[in-house]
Amino acid sequence: MNIATDARTCSGLQGQSPNQLGRLGVIMSDLTKNFINGRWVESPSGATFESRNPATGEVLGVCTRSNAEDVEAAVAAAVNAFDRWRKTPAPRRAEILFRAAEIMLRRKEDLAQLVTNEMGKVIAEGRGDVQEAIDMTYYMAGEGRRQFGLVAPVELPNKFGMCLRDPIGVVGAITPWNFPIAIPCWKLMPALVLGNTVVFKPAEDTPLCAAALIAILEEAGLPPGVVNMVLGYGEEVGAPLVEHPQVPCISFTGSNEVGRQIAIKCAHLGKRLHLEMGGKNAIIVMDDADLDLAMDGIVWSAFGTSGQRCTAASRIITHNAVKNELSERLVDRAAQLRLGYGLLPNVDMGPVVNEQALEKIHGYVMIGVQEGAKKLVGGERATDGDLARGYFFKPTVFEATPDMRISQEEIFGPVTNIIPVRSLEEAIAVNNHTRYGLSTAIYTRDVNRAFTAIRDVSTGILYINAGTIGAEVHFPFGGTRGTGNGHREAGVQALDTFSEWKSVYVDYSGRLQRAQIDVE
Ligand code: UN1
């Protein structure tokens, strides 16, 4: 393994972060505060938590640690702002989003560096994260002049029928750290353009990224109270937000365990809930596949973002005829990946997000070994040179069977399993036999096999001859089975997540007309 241990790794970083934050066009100290009713404020709790660079351990900011009191203030501001915002014409709301996208575009590089510093992904991927946010913001701004309803003929004379979208009210948006700019935009932008107001609880690992995004919305001219952000932990901020009686809609991206707890609470409270809870995504490689192409897709999908994408490929379901060659090549490629601080040149893979992630991933490697999976490469923390300062884990490949825990449970790290199969039918059965159904890929040159996969794979996203990552913002994003609860984000489908349909009948007959009764 080549390790990027350039001397600049740490010394360069010490001076870099504050400057870089300064260039984001906001007062840096504000990025550690809550944003409530248009003001940057600290929690009355007086408590704090640190945001650290997972590649170096450097503290990037000391943030206010909020609780139910702050959630209360944020919800009150959002409730108060709702009536005016929903009555603001949607094209006017959208203009603010367009301006926000323009600002993001101008600050793309600085935001991308902040992403790399705060969550660890390499800079090319940091730029991708910000670009996805820009794409979503422009796309949803466009919805300011669409949000199409429906007009249809009605059954009775002198009567008119249509349906249109209403905002829901205050949306609670709870987001993960792995796409700290993009995923908040997936939730905030559709919610806002539809006329909802928002209370946003970002992951505690990436508060500065979240705050940098909110500062952009502020600068773009979003009125006070329309977006509010509360920094802190799930139990202290997320839970009171989910339970708040004046927050009728929750959108959550995170683990299946937490998502199911939220679902139970929302069911009791009768709330609208959108869930995105991860994956155990597979790349199917058939015996007729272009192996060079498949190999590039596998390495990118399994080890990009250090495997910390909901869409990461953690199972490589491989036809027996190509299994040996594929295994050898994948082991080679994994071993060649260069780990390091993501702002350095020539680094392929950054750290994982924090110590707990490192422990969880290592725990799963031990489980795999105990289960009898064959470890082909990796399987341990990388500690050479400066890597010891961060949370680096070596790219890991197992050969495993479909029922092992490492083939069933989401590890969220750079670990992938080769699972041999004998046929397309078996490959699809193995793919479908997990609790998740977010993203699947198949490499084949046979159009019949490709269409069989399109018909039979149970998944929210399917790629033919490309890896499992790379969803675009104008297509629905989400999955089947334990990945979600039927809702989608991104695409026009996101509009359904954040709005209510209202059917309107206008009777201009001037007399009582009884639907279904006056049929003669
Ligand atoms: C996620 O991991 O939760 O398709 C989002 C992709 C990215 C988004 C991933 N565009 O991998």
Side-chain angles (χ1 to χ4, degrees):
M1 182 187 309
N2 298 331
I3 311 267
T5 48
D6 189 305
R8 285 169 297 163
T9 308
C10 292
S11 54
L13 181 65
Q14 296 299 338
Q16 193 162 26
S17 300
N19 293 341
Q20 173 227 325
L21 291 175
R23 283 205 309 270
L24 289 170
V26 287
I27 303 164
M28 186 196 152
S29 59
D30 279 351
L31 293 186
T32 59
K33 294 179 185 165
N34 290 335
F35 186 71
I36 297 177
N37 209 18
R39 291 177 46 234
W40 295 92
V41 290
E42 272 168 15
S43 169
S45 77
T48 57
F49 67 100
E50 287 174 345
S51 168
R52 284 175 181 271
N53 182 326
T56 65
E58 182 199 7
V59 176
L60 299 171
V62 180
C63 300
T64 197
R65 179 169 170 173
S66 316
N67 57 29
E69 217 183 312
D70 304 285
V71 172
E72 193 59 52
V75 173
V79 167
N80 195 39
F82 175 58
D83 196 49
R84 187 142 174 228
W85 183 243
R86 81 180 171 87
K87 289 176 183 160
T88 302
R92 298 280 91 77
R93 296 196 292 256
E95 282 164 13
I96 299 173
L97 268 54
F98 276 121
R99 280 204 292 276
E102 295 286 305
I103 300 169
M104 272 188 246
L105 196 53
R106 278 205 304 277
R107 291 200 198 130
K108 179 174 170 181
E109 188 57 27
D110 293 332
L111 286 167
Q113 289 186 21
L114 180 59
V115 169
T116 296
N117 276 326
E118 201 173 32
M119 74 65 68
K121 65 176 72 171
V122 296
I123 185 64
E125 293 187 38
R127 292 183 191 119
D129 195 318
V130 180
Q131 187 59 49
E132 194 159 349
I134 293 167
D135 294 343
M136 181 59 90
T137 306
Y138 276 129
Y139 174 55
M140 283 299 159
E143 287 303 321
R145 289 183 189 270
R146 287 193 293 264
Q147 301 180 32
F148 298 131
L150 183 80
V151 177
V154 295
E155 296 166 3
L156 290 160
N158 299 322
K159 190 180 168 193
F160 181 89
M162 62 184 164
C163 62
L164 47 90
R165 292 182 188 277
D166 265 352
I168 301 173
V170 179
V171 169
I174 305 176
T175 59
W177 44 265
N178 68 333
F179 276 81
I181 306 285
I183 293 182
C185 289
W186 291 10
K187 300 188 192 306
L188 267 50
M189 300 313 168
L192 292 173
V193 82
L194 286 158
N196 300 283
T197 55
V198 175
V199 176
F200 168 36
K201 188 271 180 230
E204 60 269 20
D205 287 292
T206 50
L208 303 181
C209 287
L213 173 65
I214 294 303
I216 287 170
L217 284 169
E218 179 190 22
E219 189 179 333
L222 207 63
V226 173
V227 160
N228 307 274
M229 180 191 68
V230 186
L231 300 179
Y233 291 82
E235 315 84 65
E236 292 165 1
V237 178
L241 180 59
V242 166
E243 282 160 21
H244 200 291
Q246 286 174 296
V247 180
C249 175
I250 299 290
S251 177
F252 168 81
T253 299
S255 72
N256 184 284
E257 286 65 34
V258 175
R260 277 184 303 162
Q261 288 169 25
I262 292 177
I264 291 165
K265 281 188 190 154
C266 286
H268 276 298
L269 297 166
K271 294 191 181 199
R272 165 87 58 113
L273 172 65
H274 156 259
L275 292 172
E276 204 282 277
M277 301 178 289
K280 194 67 193 175
N281 314 292
I283 295 182
I284 297 171
V285 184
M286 295 308 299
D287 49 353
D288 65 345
D290 176 338
L291 270 196
D292 293 333
L293 187 67
M295 201 51 59
D296 287 343
I298 293 168
V299 172
W300 172 228
S301 303
F303 303 125
T305 328
S306 309
Q308 302 170 111
R309 291 195 192 210
C310 303
T311 50
S314 53
R315 298 182 297 157
I316 314 299
I317 302 173
T318 310
H319 195 283
N320 260 326
V322 289
K323 192 210 73 180
N324 288 345
E325 188 184 346
L326 184 141
S327 302
E328 277 167 32
R329 290 175 67 173
L330 182 56
V331 165
D332 255 19
R333 292 281 298 267
Q336 277 169 31
L337 291 172
R338 293 161 299 192
L339 274 60
Y341 169 43
L343 287 186
L344 288 174
N346 305 322
V347 169
D348 300 310
M349 198 178 98
V352 297
V353 70
N354 57 31
E355 183 85 42
Q356 296 94 286
L358 208 53
E359 279 164 18
K360 178 180 171 195
I361 296 161
H362 192 250
Y364 268 110
V365 168
M366 310 291 280
I367 289 168
V369 170
Q370 276 159 21
E371 286 179 309
K374 209 191 310 170
K375 181 154 64 79
L376 304 179
V377 69
E380 59 188 6
R381 185 175 183 169
T383 52
D384 300 11
D386 283 342
L387 296 186
R389 303 170 67 138
Y391 309 116
F392 291 92
F393 201 86
K394 294 182 181 172
T396 301
V397 181
F398 277 104
E399 183 174 332
T401 58
D403 290 324
M404 289 176 175
R405 281 184 64 193
I406 57 165
S407 300
Q408 289 288 326
E409 297 173 21
E410 189 179 43
I411 300 174
F412 225 63
V415 180
T416 199
N417 304 327
I418 295 172
I419 302 175
V421 291
R422 284 159 303 217
S423 65
L424 178 63
E425 289 64 35
E426 188 184 350
I428 292 174
V430 167
N431 176 79
N432 293 356
H433 172 63
T434 61
R435 78 201 277 203
Y436 298 105
L438 182 55
S439 184
T440 299
I442 178 166
Y443 283 88
T444 178
R445 284 186 272 213
D446 180 337
V447 69
N448 297 345
R449 286 171 157 178
F451 272 90
T452 302
I454 291 171
R455 186 191 60 200
D456 293 341
V457 172
S458 163
T459 187
I461 305 168
L462 178 65
Y463 293 91
I464 312 291
N465 291 327
T468 52
I469 67 181
E472 300 182 23
V473 300
H474 52 302
F475 287 89
F477 185 95
T480 58
R481 305 196 294 285
T483 291
N485 63 341
H487 295 285
R488 292 289 185 268
E489 53 193 345
V492 283
Q493 289 73 11
L495 301 181
D496 285 335
T497 296
F498 297 109
S499 64
E500 294 280 9
W501 280 110
K502 181 185 275 172
S503 295
V504 181
Y505 302 99
V506 182
D507 190 321
Y508 55 98
S509 70
R511 59 191 174 87
L512 173 67
Q513 299 201 90
R514 298 171 302 175
Q516 292 89 38
I517 294 172
D518 297 332
V519 292
E520 300 308 319

Tab-separated table of all heavy atoms in Angstrom, residues 121 128 132 176 178-179 182-183 186 253-254 276 278 281 300 305 308-312 410 412 438-439 461 463 468-473 477 489, ligand 1:
chain	number	residue	atom	x	y	z
A	121	LYS	N	-13.547	12.928	3.182
A	121	LYS	CA	-13.495	12.441	1.792
A	121	LYS	C	-12.461	13.236	1.005
A	121	LYS	O	-12.206	14.416	1.325
A	121	LYS	CB	-14.872	12.467	1.132
A	121	LYS	CG	-15.491	13.832	0.946
A	121	LYS	CD	-16.824	13.760	0.198
A	121	LYS	CE	-17.961	13.193	0.994
A	121	LYS	NZ	-19.281	13.319	0.354
A	128	GLY	N	-17.463	17.058	-5.528
A	128	GLY	CA	-18.673	16.377	-6.009
A	128	GLY	C	-19.842	16.588	-5.062
A	128	GLY	O	-20.980	16.802	-5.498
A	132	GLU	N	-23.250	18.406	-6.145
A	132	GLU	CA	-24.569	17.778	-6.020
A	132	GLU	C	-25.539	18.731	-5.302
A	132	GLU	O	-26.730	18.808	-5.636
A	132	GLU	CB	-24.427	16.450	-5.266
A	132	GLU	CG	-25.643	15.582	-5.381
A	132	GLU	CD	-25.353	14.108	-5.098
A	132	GLU	OE1	-24.178	13.709	-5.012
A	132	GLU	OE2	-26.318	13.355	-4.961
A	176	PRO	N	-27.199	13.181	7.672
A	176	PRO	CA	-25.963	12.484	8.042
A	176	PRO	C	-24.721	13.305	7.697
A	176	PRO	O	-24.811	14.343	7.043
A	176	PRO	CB	-26.032	11.225	7.185
A	176	PRO	CG	-26.696	11.701	5.921
A	176	PRO	CD	-27.664	12.784	6.331
A	178	ASN	N	-22.103	12.037	5.868
A	178	ASN	CA	-21.314	11.533	4.734
A	178	ASN	C	-21.442	12.385	3.472
A	178	ASN	O	-20.546	12.398	2.644
A	178	ASN	CB	-21.640	10.057	4.450
A	178	ASN	CG	-23.039	9.855	3.924
A	178	ASN	OD1	-23.938	10.639	4.205
A	178	ASN	ND2	-23.227	8.796	3.163
A	179	PHE	N	-22.576	13.093	3.343
A	179	PHE	CA	-22.717	14.117	2.293
A	179	PHE	C	-23.178	15.398	2.988
A	179	PHE	O	-24.349	15.757	2.919
A	179	PHE	CB	-23.696	13.660	1.206
A	179	PHE	CG	-23.045	12.796	0.175
A	179	PHE	CD1	-22.822	11.445	0.411
A	179	PHE	CD2	-22.597	13.342	-1.026
A	179	PHE	CE1	-22.188	10.651	-0.526
A	179	PHE	CE2	-21.967	12.553	-1.969
A	179	PHE	CZ	-21.762	11.210	-1.723
A	182	ALA	N	-24.507	18.101	0.365
A	182	ALA	CA	-25.506	17.639	-0.610
A	182	ALA	C	-26.811	17.194	0.056
A	182	ALA	O	-27.898	17.636	-0.336
A	182	ALA	CB	-24.939	16.503	-1.455
A	183	ILE	N	-26.724	16.312	1.040
A	183	ILE	CA	-27.967	15.740	1.584
A	183	ILE	C	-28.831	16.805	2.282
A	183	ILE	O	-30.054	16.809	2.096
A	183	ILE	CB	-27.697	14.486	2.451
A	183	ILE	CG1	-27.165	13.366	1.545
A	183	ILE	CG2	-28.972	14.025	3.166
A	183	ILE	CD1	-26.898	12.035	2.221
A	186	TRP	N	-30.808	18.173	-0.413
A	186	TRP	CA	-31.870	17.268	-0.879
A	186	TRP	C	-33.150	17.481	-0.087
A	186	TRP	O	-34.245	17.268	-0.587
A	186	TRP	CB	-31.461	15.816	-0.697
A	186	TRP	CG	-30.376	15.296	-1.563
A	186	TRP	CD1	-29.544	16.008	-2.390
A	186	TRP	CD2	-29.990	13.927	-1.685
A	186	TRP	NE1	-28.678	15.156	-3.003
A	186	TRP	CE2	-28.915	13.880	-2.582
A	186	TRP	CE3	-30.446	12.752	-1.102
A	186	TRP	CZ2	-28.292	12.680	-2.926
A	186	TRP	CZ3	-29.820	11.564	-1.435
A	186	TRP	CH2	-28.759	11.542	-2.346
A	253	THR	N	-32.225	10.887	7.205
A	253	THR	CA	-31.281	9.976	6.554
A	253	THR	C	-30.285	9.535	7.608
A	253	THR	O	-29.675	10.369	8.284
A	253	THR	CB	-30.522	10.676	5.404
A	253	THR	OG1	-31.471	11.102	4.422
A	253	THR	CG2	-29.528	9.724	4.752
A	254	GLY	N	-30.128	8.213	7.749
A	254	GLY	CA	-29.209	7.693	8.758
A	254	GLY	C	-29.373	6.190	8.868
A	254	GLY	O	-29.773	5.535	7.905
A	276	GLU	N	-34.540	7.444	4.874
A	276	GLU	CA	-33.530	6.838	3.995
A	276	GLU	C	-32.490	6.218	4.916
A	276	GLU	O	-31.804	6.930	5.634
A	276	GLU	CB	-32.929	7.906	3.063
A	276	GLU	CG	-32.359	7.306	1.791
A	276	GLU	CD	-31.005	6.675	2.006
A	276	GLU	OE1	-30.025	7.414	1.986
A	276	GLU	OE2	-30.939	5.435	2.206
A	278	GLY	N	-30.013	3.561	4.338
A	278	GLY	CA	-28.810	2.817	3.985
A	278	GLY	C	-29.011	1.647	3.054
A	278	GLY	O	-30.083	1.451	2.485
A	281	ASN	N	-25.528	-2.746	-0.784
A	281	ASN	CA	-25.628	-2.714	-2.242
A	281	ASN	C	-24.681	-3.710	-2.909
A	281	ASN	O	-23.573	-3.938	-2.426
A	281	ASN	CB	-25.330	-1.306	-2.724
A	281	ASN	CG	-26.086	-0.293	-1.891
A	281	ASN	OD1	-27.301	-0.223	-1.955
A	281	ASN	ND2	-25.367	0.442	-1.044
A	300	TRP	N	-14.284	1.986	-7.359
A	300	TRP	CA	-14.897	3.292	-7.099
A	300	TRP	C	-16.080	3.145	-6.144
A	300	TRP	O	-16.219	3.905	-5.180
A	300	TRP	CB	-15.291	3.907	-8.432
A	300	TRP	CG	-16.103	5.167	-8.421
A	300	TRP	CD1	-17.229	5.402	-9.146
A	300	TRP	CD2	-15.840	6.379	-7.697
A	300	TRP	NE1	-17.687	6.681	-8.899
A	300	TRP	CE2	-16.856	7.296	-8.020
A	300	TRP	CE3	-14.848	6.772	-6.789
A	300	TRP	CZ2	-16.923	8.577	-7.473
A	300	TRP	CZ3	-14.911	8.057	-6.244
A	300	TRP	CH2	-15.928	8.932	-6.593
A	305	THR	N	-15.241	7.410	-1.018
A	305	THR	CA	-15.763	7.914	0.264
A	305	THR	C	-15.488	6.900	1.388
A	305	THR	O	-16.246	6.809	2.351
A	305	THR	CB	-17.283	8.217	0.177
A	305	THR	OG1	-17.607	8.653	-1.158
A	305	THR	CG2	-17.704	9.320	1.126
A	308	GLN	N	-18.195	4.882	2.746
A	308	GLN	CA	-19.200	5.494	3.635
A	308	GLN	C	-20.306	6.190	2.832
A	308	GLN	O	-20.613	7.348	3.058
A	308	GLN	CB	-18.527	6.492	4.565
A	308	GLN	CG	-17.434	5.876	5.427
A	308	GLN	CD	-16.644	6.937	6.152
A	308	GLN	OE1	-16.731	7.059	7.364
A	308	GLN	NE2	-15.881	7.717	5.429
A	309	ARG	N	-20.843	5.499	1.874
A	309	ARG	CA	-22.026	5.990	1.172
A	309	ARG	C	-23.134	4.980	1.406
A	309	ARG	O	-22.880	3.772	1.436
A	309	ARG	CB	-21.786	6.049	-0.341
A	309	ARG	CG	-20.811	7.090	-0.776
A	309	ARG	CD	-20.945	7.291	-2.272
A	309	ARG	NE	-19.831	8.081	-2.785
A	309	ARG	CZ	-19.912	8.885	-3.830
A	309	ARG	NH1	-21.041	9.008	-4.499
A	309	ARG	NH2	-18.868	9.550	-4.246
A	310	CYS	N	-24.353	5.489	1.472
A	310	CYS	CA	-25.497	4.571	1.536
A	310	CYS	C	-25.506	3.680	0.311
A	310	CYS	O	-26.040	2.574	0.343
A	310	CYS	CB	-26.802	5.348	1.564
A	310	CYS	SG	-26.893	6.492	2.912
A	311	THR	N	-24.928	4.192	-0.774
A	311	THR	CA	-24.936	3.474	-2.045
A	311	THR	C	-23.670	2.648	-2.282
A	311	THR	O	-23.508	2.069	-3.361
A	311	THR	CB	-25.083	4.486	-3.199
A	311	THR	OG1	-24.104	5.514	-3.002
A	311	THR	CG2	-26.458	5.119	-3.241
A	312	ALA	N	-22.762	2.591	-1.312
A	312	ALA	CA	-21.484	1.898	-1.518
A	312	ALA	C	-21.704	0.414	-1.834
A	312	ALA	O	-22.636	-0.210	-1.327
A	312	ALA	CB	-20.623	2.027	-0.270
A	410	GLU	N	-25.131	-3.508	7.271
A	410	GLU	CA	-24.421	-2.360	6.699
A	410	GLU	C	-23.202	-2.028	7.562
A	410	GLU	O	-23.334	-1.735	8.752
A	410	GLU	CB	-25.348	-1.141	6.625
A	410	GLU	CG	-24.723	-0.006	5.832
A	410	GLU	CD	-25.625	1.225	5.715
A	410	GLU	OE1	-26.236	1.605	6.725
A	410	GLU	OE2	-25.700	1.794	4.611
A	412	PHE	N	-20.663	0.271	6.517
A	412	PHE	CA	-20.370	1.689	6.275
A	412	PHE	C	-18.885	1.994	6.413
A	412	PHE	O	-18.453	2.878	7.146
A	412	PHE	CB	-21.193	2.577	7.213
A	412	PHE	CG	-21.815	3.746	6.491
A	412	PHE	CD1	-22.740	3.546	5.479
A	412	PHE	CD2	-21.468	5.058	6.808
A	412	PHE	CE1	-23.319	4.619	4.800
A	412	PHE	CE2	-22.047	6.142	6.133
A	412	PHE	CZ	-22.970	5.917	5.126
A	438	LEU	N	-31.266	-0.449	-1.755
A	438	LEU	CA	-31.043	0.911	-2.274
A	438	LEU	C	-30.499	0.904	-3.703
A	438	LEU	O	-31.113	1.446	-4.609
A	438	LEU	CB	-30.102	1.691	-1.339
A	438	LEU	CG	-29.832	3.144	-1.766
A	438	LEU	CD1	-31.109	3.938	-1.937
A	438	LEU	CD2	-28.924	3.835	-0.747
A	439	SER	N	-29.310	0.313	-3.891
A	439	SER	CA	-28.672	0.411	-5.206
A	439	SER	C	-28.055	-0.933	-5.593
A	439	SER	O	-27.459	-1.615	-4.753
A	439	SER	CB	-27.586	1.496	-5.157
A	439	SER	OG	-27.012	1.671	-6.429
A	461	ILE	N	-32.538	1.812	-7.026
A	461	ILE	CA	-31.656	2.339	-8.070
A	461	ILE	C	-30.925	1.151	-8.702
A	461	ILE	O	-30.414	0.286	-7.981
A	461	ILE	CB	-30.608	3.311	-7.472
A	461	ILE	CG1	-31.299	4.441	-6.678
A	461	ILE	CG2	-29.719	3.903	-8.555
A	461	ILE	CD1	-30.336	5.270	-5.820
A	463	TYR	N	-28.063	0.115	-11.811
A	463	TYR	CA	-27.106	0.540	-12.829
A	463	TYR	C	-26.747	-0.636	-13.724
A	463	TYR	O	-26.474	-1.736	-13.220
A	463	TYR	CB	-25.818	1.044	-12.187
A	463	TYR	CG	-25.960	2.327	-11.401
A	463	TYR	CD1	-26.262	2.312	-10.034
A	463	TYR	CD2	-25.763	3.562	-12.008
A	463	TYR	CE1	-26.366	3.490	-9.310
A	463	TYR	CE2	-25.860	4.746	-11.294
A	463	TYR	CZ	-26.160	4.702	-9.946
A	463	TYR	OH	-26.258	5.869	-9.229
A	468	THR	N	-22.373	1.192	-8.214
A	468	THR	CA	-23.614	1.461	-7.468
A	468	THR	C	-23.757	2.907	-7.011
A	468	THR	O	-24.765	3.262	-6.403
A	468	THR	CB	-23.692	0.570	-6.210
A	468	THR	OG1	-22.459	0.726	-5.488
A	468	THR	CG2	-23.932	-0.878	-6.557
A	469	ILE	N	-22.728	3.738	-7.233
A	469	ILE	CA	-22.813	5.123	-6.756
A	469	ILE	C	-22.879	6.078	-7.943
A	469	ILE	O	-22.442	5.756	-9.045
A	469	ILE	CB	-21.639	5.479	-5.806
A	469	ILE	CG1	-20.279	5.508	-6.524
A	469	ILE	CG2	-21.565	4.504	-4.669
A	469	ILE	CD1	-19.112	5.831	-5.588
A	470	GLY	N	-23.466	7.241	-7.706
A	470	GLY	CA	-23.523	8.223	-8.791
A	470	GLY	C	-24.922	8.648	-9.176
A	470	GLY	O	-25.176	9.060	-10.311
A	471	ALA	N	-25.848	8.596	-8.220
A	471	ALA	CA	-27.221	9.023	-8.496
A	471	ALA	C	-27.254	10.516	-8.840
A	471	ALA	O	-26.481	11.300	-8.303
A	471	ALA	CB	-28.086	8.758	-7.274
A	472	GLU	N	-28.145	10.905	-9.740
A	472	GLU	CA	-28.296	12.306	-10.142
A	472	GLU	C	-29.550	12.894	-9.507
A	472	GLU	O	-30.514	12.173	-9.217
A	472	GLU	CB	-28.350	12.395	-11.677
A	472	GLU	CG	-27.075	11.855	-12.306
A	472	GLU	CD	-27.040	11.953	-13.817
A	472	GLU	OE1	-27.761	12.795	-14.383
A	472	GLU	OE2	-26.276	11.195	-14.433
A	473	VAL	N	-29.523	14.231	-9.328
A	473	VAL	CA	-30.537	14.855	-8.454
A	473	VAL	C	-31.950	14.864	-9.017
A	473	VAL	O	-32.901	15.045	-8.263
A	473	VAL	CB	-30.157	16.315	-8.097
A	473	VAL	CG1	-28.829	16.364	-7.370
A	473	VAL	CG2	-30.158	17.217	-9.325
A	477	PHE	N	-34.467	9.215	-5.442
A	477	PHE	CA	-33.430	8.523	-4.682
A	477	PHE	C	-34.080	7.890	-3.464
A	477	PHE	O	-34.727	8.559	-2.669
A	477	PHE	CB	-32.351	9.521	-4.238
A	477	PHE	CG	-31.182	8.872	-3.546
A	477	PHE	CD1	-30.041	8.537	-4.259
A	477	PHE	CD2	-31.224	8.592	-2.191
A	477	PHE	CE1	-28.960	7.933	-3.627
A	477	PHE	CE2	-30.146	7.984	-1.551
A	477	PHE	CZ	-29.004	7.655	-2.279
A	489	GLU	N	-36.540	10.904	-1.957
A	489	GLU	CA	-36.081	12.272	-2.090
A	489	GLU	C	-35.426	12.417	-3.462
A	489	GLU	O	-35.244	11.437	-4.180
A	489	GLU	CB	-35.156	12.703	-0.949
A	489	GLU	CG	-33.988	11.839	-0.652
A	489	GLU	CD	-33.368	12.230	0.694
A	489	GLU	OE1	-33.658	13.323	1.232
A	489	GLU	OE2	-32.590	11.428	1.195
B	1	UN1	C1	-25.614	8.643	0.267
B	1	UN1	O1	-24.659	7.901	0.358
B	1	UN1	O2	-26.429	8.730	1.205
B	1	UN1	O3	-25.307	8.175	-5.647
B	1	UN1	C2	-25.870	9.536	-0.887
B	1	UN1	C3	-24.453	8.550	-4.836
B	1	UN1	C4	-24.445	9.984	-4.395
B	1	UN1	C5	-25.320	10.172	-3.194
B	1	UN1	C6	-25.068	9.215	-2.087
B	1	UN1	N1	-24.879	10.823	-5.484
B	1	UN1	O4	-23.620	7.787	-4.380
